[in-house]
Amino acid sequence: MNDSSTHSRTPDSTVGPRTAEPRTAGRRTVLRALALAGVLAGTTFSALPPVAAAASGAPETHTLTIRHLDRAGHATGGYSTHVTGISGPGAQEEATPYDESGTVTLRLPEGRYLLDSTLYGTDPATGTDWVVQPRLDLNGDTTVTVDARTTAPVDVRPPEPGARRLNGIGFVEVTHEGTTRSANILTAREGLRVAHLGPASEPGSVKEWFDTYWSGTRSDYALGYTFTSDRALTGLVRHPAADRLATLKIRGAAPGGAGGTGFVSVQPSAGPTVGLAQPLQLPGTATVLVTPERGLWDVALTGPAAPETPPNRYEENGIAVHAGATTTHTFDNAVFGPALDTRPGARPAGVRDGDRIALDLPLLADGDGHAPSAPRFRTATTTLHRDGALIGTRRGEPGRAEFTTTPGAASYRLTASATRGDGSPSSERVTASWTFASATTTRPAALPLSTVRFAPDLALDGTAPAGTALRVPVTVQGTAAEAGVRSLTVSVSTDNGTTWTRVPVLDGRAEFRTPGPGRSVSLRAELTDARGNTLTQTQRNAFRTR
């Protein structure tokens, strides 16, 4: 990957990589995909022609001359410069001027501009210079000199000697009069040098961050630092000790023994970035050390692609980290079952709008409650009954269906089921059946749905030791968690759901002994909330013993 820079015109505009010639557009997810794909593509973005003399009533224009000097102080044609309007009559202007002599002239309307320039040496091994002028006030003919001799190194590296640098990104945002413009540079090599150019901007108006990603023998590293100031950075040195970093352990499971190669990705939650993307042999654990200074972090696991189906992706976003602490996140392991999004402001899983009833609930979320992007299932069915009469049956994606019912108040039973595996008696089958009262609404209203989550401590093949006493955490989500639980019972089956035994639930844990090796354990929860709404949830062959 060649060193390149990218720019965005507004805070929510598209962002794309730009090399000395090509330029393309894409959002934050595109930048992340670059790390996974290792491809940097683009289309030509040509310079704007000089603006003609201002006509009557048009904004006054001025000449902007930009000179480019290399590290020896000589004029150079090895550069890529971008000028973006921030405020004033030129707020919507954007230009990428170029002349091989190293000096380029253009005319632009008056206003505040952001200028950044990437200078490339003749030898890529010598590195790249990135010069940023966050405040270019064009109120008369102006000459700017971009001089590589003013730059200082970006020297950020992990505490593991010999760790291999994968990629990095520098990003700057400048805000003036309520408008934000940005520029960035993608770097695949070490040797980047940076400098501020021009006068200081207003206090706190310049936000900048640098993220670098590394692969080591003991772990991988995602090192990110943010700065808020009135200037762009001139150089950056960070050599964090291991105890100043936080550890993320990402465990990828292979329940049922189905392995393969997946990909782990880690990136800061805030701002555009490239991210770390590394292969992981499943089942397995990836260890990534990250900088707490960068804020919250996102992690994801993308599973192996199956024939004629997209790869399955799980993610967990907004993870708080602390220096010296370890957090562990497990993906794609049993027990698979329904899960509700319990974050504040989350969209309800079931909604009635007028006489339309819709369900959108991850029925096959993994053992930690992560919803899969492409759930693996053989069959999926959802039915709705009104006062005992069938309204309809829907087949398709697990936990997703929509019905139109009869106006007025009535009692409803909504049942969703899905089967994982090959459909044999040993396949995992999840069923959730809710009863509730509902009437026609004048606006969308959440249905009073609850779920029960079981979280046994399982190996990454989805198994528990045979013949041992388990204390399985049981968590109630949804309406019952908010309004209160009137009753909750848990039952266990070791014969594929033919017979069931009620087990005690003490201090939020179901207690029972696992059967002999190679057997399956099925789980059932029967719940009534404080308002009389009920749930019967069955997870047949939820996990196996070893």
Side-chain angles (χ1 to χ4, degrees), residues 326-346:
T326 298
T327 59
T328 301
H329 305 272
T330 303
F331 297 94
D332 203 27
N333 205 5
V335 171
F336 294 92
L340 297 178
D341 190 343
T342 58
R343 294 173 298 180

Side-chain angles (χ1 to χ4, degrees), residues 43 51 60 62 151-152 192 220 271 276 299 303 329 376 411 477 521:
T43 56
V51 180
E60 184 177 2
H62 302 290
T151 63
L192 176 66
D220 293 330
L276 174 78
V299 301
H329 305 272
R376 302 287 185 248
S411 296
Q477 297 178 327
V521 175

Side-chain angles (χ1 to χ4, degrees), residues 41-273:
T43 56
T44 300
F45 185 90
S46 58
L48 296 179
V51 180
S56 177
E60 184 177 2
T61 63
H62 302 290
T63 298
L64 174 63
T65 302
I66 310 171
R67 301 171 60 235
H68 301 85
L69 304 180
D70 62 19
R71 292 182 183 179
H74 301 144
T76 178
Y79 67 89
S80 175
T81 290
H82 202 75
V83 182
T84 305
I86 305 176
S87 62
Q92 301 304 316
E93 296 292 326
E94 186 173 10
T96 306
Y98 181 80
D99 188 281
E100 63 181 1
S101 69
T103 298
V104 63
T105 300
L106 68 163
R107 292 189 66 84
L108 292 169
E110 282 193 358
R112 171 76 62 90
Y113 289 85
L114 163 66
L115 180 149
D116 80 290
S117 185
T118 304
L119 301 169
Y120 307 95
T122 56
D123 181 1
T126 63
T128 301
D129 298 285
W130 189 41
V131 179
V132 177
Q133 181 164 348
R135 179 177 182 174
L136 173 56
D137 291 320
L138 192 63
N139 47 26
D141 292 347
T142 302
T143 297
V144 172
T145 299
V146 177
D147 190 341
R149 294 172 297 177
T150 66
T151 63
V154 174
D155 182 9
V156 177
R157 60 187 64 253
E160 180 182 340
R164 179 171 58 92
R165 192 178 191 278
L166 301 173
N167 54 58
I169 182 172
F171 200 96
V172 62
E173 286 184 345
V174 181
T175 301
H176 185 246
E177 296 184 351
T179 298
T180 298
R181 300 291 188 245
S182 61
N184 61 60
I185 183 168
L186 295 169
T187 59
R189 306 181 186 91
E190 296 187 63
L192 176 66
R193 298 170 62 94
V194 299
H196 169 87
L197 177 63
S201 190
E202 289 74 20
S205 65
V206 181
K207 182 177 181 180
E208 191 166 6
W209 59 89
F210 278 87
D211 299 331
T212 63
Y213 302 93
W214 305 74
S215 177
T217 56
R218 300 191 298 268
S219 62
D220 293 330
Y221 302 87
L223 310 180
Y225 299 93
T226 63
F227 308 88
T228 300
S229 178
D230 57 0
R231 303 169 62 86
L233 290 178
T234 296
L236 172 64
V237 177
R238 291 291 187 275
H239 300 159
D243 61 2
R244 304 303 300 169
L245 302 176
T247 300
L248 293 173
K249 287 190 176 294
I250 301 100
R251 304 169 75 231
T261 301
F263 280 88
V264 167
S265 62
V266 176
Q267 56 274 316
S269 301
T273 190

Side-chain angles (χ1 to χ4, degrees), residues 135-516:
R135 179 177 182 174
L136 173 56
D137 291 320
L138 192 63
N139 47 26
D141 292 347
T142 302
T143 297
V144 172
T145 299
V146 177
D147 190 341
R149 294 172 297 177
T150 66
T151 63
V154 174
D155 182 9
V156 177
R157 60 187 64 253
E160 180 182 340
R164 179 171 58 92
R165 192 178 191 278
L166 301 173
N167 54 58
I169 182 172
F171 200 96
V172 62
E173 286 184 345
V174 181
T175 301
H176 185 246
E177 296 184 351
T179 298
T180 298
R181 300 291 188 245
S182 61
N184 61 60
I185 183 168
L186 295 169
T187 59
R189 306 181 186 91
E190 296 187 63
L192 176 66
R193 298 170 62 94
V194 299
H196 169 87
L197 177 63
S201 190
E202 289 74 20
S205 65
V206 181
K207 182 177 181 180
E208 191 166 6
W209 59 89
F210 278 87
D211 299 331
T212 63
Y213 302 93
W214 305 74
S215 177
T217 56
R218 300 191 298 268
S219 62
D220 293 330
Y221 302 87
L223 310 180
Y225 299 93
T226 63
F227 308 88
T228 300
S229 178
D230 57 0
R231 303 169 62 86
L233 290 178
T234 296
L236 172 64
V237 177
R238 291 291 187 275
H239 300 159
D243 61 2
R244 304 303 300 169
L245 302 176
T247 300
L248 293 173
K249 287 190 176 294
I250 301 100
R251 304 169 75 231
T261 301
F263 280 88
V264 167
S265 62
V266 176
Q267 56 274 316
S269 301
T273 190
V274 179
L276 174 78
Q278 291 285 71
L280 177 65
Q281 191 64 36
L282 304 174
T285 301
T287 301
V288 183
L289 272 61
V290 304
T291 44
E293 296 93 324
R294 191 60 170 87
L296 304 179
W297 289 81
D298 300 343
V299 301
L301 174 73
T302 302
E308 301 180 359
T309 59
N312 204 3
R313 179 181 171 88
Y314 295 93
E315 60 183 38
E316 185 164 338
N317 298 326
I319 300 169
V321 299
H322 304 281
T326 298
T327 59
T328 301
H329 305 272
T330 303
F331 297 94
D332 203 27
N333 205 5
V335 171
F336 294 92
L340 297 178
D341 190 343
T342 58
R343 294 173 298 180
R347 184 178 63 181
V351 174
R352 178 160 185 169
D353 186 1
D355 292 316
R356 184 180 66 89
I357 290 179
L359 179 70
D360 188 357
L361 181 151
L363 200 61
L364 297 175
D366 69 11
D368 277 14
H370 306 115
S373 63
R376 302 287 185 248
F377 67 99
R378 298 284 297 180
T379 59
T381 304
T382 304
T383 62
L384 180 67
H385 289 78
R386 182 184 189 274
D387 287 338
L390 178 66
I391 293 295
T393 299
R394 304 288 184 265
R395 293 180 174 83
E397 189 173 345
R400 299 190 67 181
E402 187 174 314
F403 304 89
T404 300
T405 185
T406 306
S411 296
Y412 288 88
R413 184 173 77 253
L414 178 63
T415 302
S417 64
T419 301
R420 284 172 46 93
D422 58 9
S424 67
S426 63
S427 296
E428 302 164 58
R429 182 173 178 82
V430 176
T431 301
S433 184
W434 300 271
T435 67
F436 52 89
S438 179
T440 303
T441 64
T442 58
R443 61 176 61 89
L447 298 177
L449 306 183
S450 302
T451 62
V452 175
R453 299 289 304 165
F454 297 103
D457 185 12
L458 303 177
L460 288 181
D461 61 358
T463 64
T468 60
L470 286 187
R471 300 184 72 240
V472 177
V474 179
T475 304
V476 174
Q477 297 178 327
T479 302
E482 300 162 1
V485 175
R486 181 181 300 173
S487 65
L488 171 63
T489 62
V490 173
S491 301
V492 173
S493 173
T494 58
D495 56 7
N496 296 328
T498 302
T499 60
W500 294 88
T501 301
R502 186 174 294 182
V503 300
V505 180
L506 302 173
D507 297 325
R509 295 176 181 267
E511 301 181 357
F512 57 91
R513 181 169 290 275
T514 58

